[in-house]
Amino acid sequence: MANQSKPAPLPPWGYAIAGATGAVLANAAVYPLDIVKTRLQVQVKSDGLERDLEGHPHYKSTLDAITHIIADEGVSGLYLGMEGSLLGVASTNFAYFYWYSVVRTLYLSTQKISKPPSTAIELSLGAVSGAIAQVFTIPVSVVTTRQQTQTRREKKGLIDTGREVVNSEDGWTGLWRGLKASLILVVNPAITYGAYQRLRDVLYPGKVNLKPWEAFFLGACSKALATVVTQPLIVAKVGLQSKPPPGRHGKPFRSFLEVMRFIVDREGILGLFKGIGPQIMKGLLVQGMLMMTKERMELLFILLFRYMRKVKEKQVQKLIDVAAEGGVKARPVANKTVEKVKKVLPVLAK
C-alpha cells in the first residue's frame, strides 16, 4: 500500500483564524479576571481610604475587587468592555498568527537546507510577528483598557470611548499609547518558550512525549516566570493606556518609565507587581485553553481543506471526462473535414 501523503499546511489566514478563535474563547471564559487585574494595576495606593478622590474604590485583593465590582455595578460590571476586549484579542491574535506564518514561510524559503528553525530563530520570528501585530492592533487595546477602568457613571461604548481618546490632548496618536512598552513585551512569549524548553530538559531529560499534566505543569511554571519578569512593564503599559490617576490632575503619562517612577514614589517597588495574582491566573488558563482550542481548530481546517480539495478534484475530473467524451464524438467529424481539405488542396494548387 502506498504511503499516505501528509496533509498540506494551512494557508496563513487558516492559522490566523484558528489562533484568533482559540484566543477569543479562552479570554471570554476568564474575562472577569482580566477586568480585575486591570483595575488592580491602575489603582494608586490610598492612605487607608476606601475610595480615591474620583470615587473609584480601592481594592485590597482579587476577591475584594470582585466583591466591590458586583456590589457597585452588578455582575455585568465584571464584563464591562468585553466586546472591545474580545475584538482586540481576535485582531491581535489573528495578526500575530498570520504574520508568524508568513514570516516563518519566508524564512524557510531562503534556507538552502531544509531543516526546522533553531530555538533562537523561532523566538526571533515570534518577536517580529508580535511586533508587527502590535502596531496594527494596539488602538483596540487602548480603548478596551479605558473601558475596563470606567465606573458605572462613566460607562461608554467602544466608539464613544475611542472618540474620547482621540479628543484628548494626544489626538489620534493617543490610540497608540503604550506602543513602546507593547513592543518590548513581545519578549514575554520568548521567555515563556525558552523557560519551557529549559525546564523540560531539567525535569524530563530525554523524554520525547510528555503527559498532558506534565506539559501543563511546565507551561504553568514557564508562564508564571515570564509574567513575574515582565509584570512591571505590563503595569506601566496599563497605566499609559488608562486615564491619568487623580494625583496627575488629568495630565497623561509620557512614557512607561514615567509611569514606573510615579508608582514607585507612591507605592514602593512592590507597586510594580500589583495585580500579579489575577495576571498569572489568567495567563495560565488562557495559555492552556488557547493552545488546546487552536490545535482543534487547525485540525478542523485541515479536514475542511482536505474535503474541499477532494470536491475540487472530482469537479476537475468530471470536466476532463466531459471534454474527453466530446473529443471522441467530434473525432469522426474532424476526420471527414480533414479528408475534404486533402481533396481541395490539390485543386487549389493547380
Side-chain angles (χ1 to χ4, degrees):
M1 183 181 293
N3 292 331
Q4 292 183 343
S5 60
K6 293 182 179 180
L10 292 172
W13 64 264
Y15 287 110
I17 292 178
T21 303
V24 167
L25 293 175
N27 280 273
V30 300
Y31 187 77
L33 282 176
D34 189 39
I35 197 168
V36 166
K37 68 93 179 170
T38 300
R39 294 199 180 186
L40 284 171
Q41 289 168 352
V42 299
Q43 70 179 9
V44 179
K45 186 177 181 181
S46 61
D47 298 325
L49 300 176
E50 289 292 326
R51 295 178 181 270
D52 61 23
L53 298 177
E54 294 184 353
H56 298 101
H58 183 79
Y59 308 121
K60 299 176 183 178
S61 64
T62 301
L63 185 59
D64 183 55
I66 293 174
T67 304
H68 269 87
I69 291 172
I70 294 177
D72 292 346
E73 307 168 44
V75 176
S76 62
L78 293 173
Y79 297 89
L80 187 65
M82 184 175 180
E83 299 86 353
S85 177
L86 295 184
L87 176 63
V89 166
S91 58
T92 300
N93 281 273
F94 183 92
Y96 173 79
F97 286 109
Y98 178 86
W99 286 111
Y100 179 77
S101 179
V102 170
V103 171
R104 194 174 191 275
T105 301
L106 288 175
Y107 170 78
L108 293 175
S109 66
T110 61
Q111 302 302 299
K112 296 180 179 179
I113 302 175
S114 179
K115 63 177 181 179
S118 63
T119 301
I121 293 297
E122 287 282 16
L123 297 181
S124 300
L125 295 177
V128 171
S129 306
I132 296 173
Q134 285 297 326
V135 171
F136 287 103
T137 60
I138 196 170
V140 182
S141 175
V142 171
V143 174
T144 300
T145 301
R146 286 289 182 95
Q147 281 190 295
Q148 290 179 334
T149 54
Q150 291 170 348
T151 60
R152 172 181 281 182
R153 57 187 175 83
E154 299 172 330
K155 187 176 179 181
K156 296 178 182 177
L158 185 68
I159 302 299
D160 290 334
T161 305
R163 191 177 292 117
E164 180 185 76
V165 174
V166 174
N167 291 336
S168 67
E169 65 179 76
D170 288 332
W172 284 96
T173 58
L175 293 172
W176 277 267
R177 289 186 66 83
L179 178 60
K180 291 181 181 177
S182 296
L183 293 178
I184 297 174
L185 281 170
V186 299
V187 303
N188 189 296
I191 295 173
T192 302
Y193 184 80
Y196 182 94
Q197 292 299 327
R198 182 58 182 161
L199 288 172
R200 179 172 182 168
D201 293 340
V202 173
L203 299 177
Y204 307 106
K207 193 168 185 178
V208 178
N209 297 315
L210 298 178
K211 296 177 181 178
W213 69 266
E214 292 173 338
F216 183 86
F217 173 72
L218 291 180
C221 291
S222 57
K223 187 62 180 178
L225 176 62
T227 301
V228 170
V229 172
T230 59
Q231 182 68 6
L233 274 176
I234 294 172
V235 172
K237 175 190 169 185
V238 173
L240 273 171
Q241 295 178 341
S242 62
K243 289 179 66 176
R248 296 282 297 180
H249 306 292
K251 183 181 178 182
F253 293 106
R254 290 296 175 189
S255 67
F256 61 87
L257 289 177
E258 188 179 4
V259 179
M260 293 169 76
R261 280 197 297 268
F262 180 85
I263 293 172
V264 171
D265 289 344
R266 285 159 178 74
E267 305 176 50
I269 196 73
L270 290 180
L272 295 175
F273 294 88
K274 56 188 175 182
I276 195 169
Q279 180 82 45
I280 291 177
M281 194 181 305
K282 179 205 167 190
L284 298 183
L285 294 174
V286 168
Q287 188 79 4
M289 286 189 283
L290 166 61
M291 299 313 295
M292 181 178 67
T293 310
K294 176 178 175 289
E295 287 188 3
R296 299 301 183 277
M297 287 302 299
E298 285 182 1
L299 178 59
L300 286 175
F301 271 102
I302 288 174
L303 293 175
L304 177 62
F305 269 74
R306 194 177 295 176
Y307 172 75
M308 291 173 63
R309 192 179 296 115
K310 286 183 178 180
V311 171
K312 190 174 181 180
E313 287 174 355
K314 287 181 179 179
Q315 290 176 342
V316 171
Q317 187 61 46
K318 190 174 180 180
L319 290 174
I320 292 174
D321 293 341
V322 170
E325 185 179 347
V328 171
K329 291 180 179 179
R331 191 173 299 167
V333 177
N335 290 338
K336 289 180 180 179
T337 303
V338 171
E339 290 297 328
K340 289 180 179 180
V341 171
K342 286 181 178 180
K343 291 177 180 179
V344 172
L345 282 177
V347 175
L348 292 176
K350 290 179 180 180

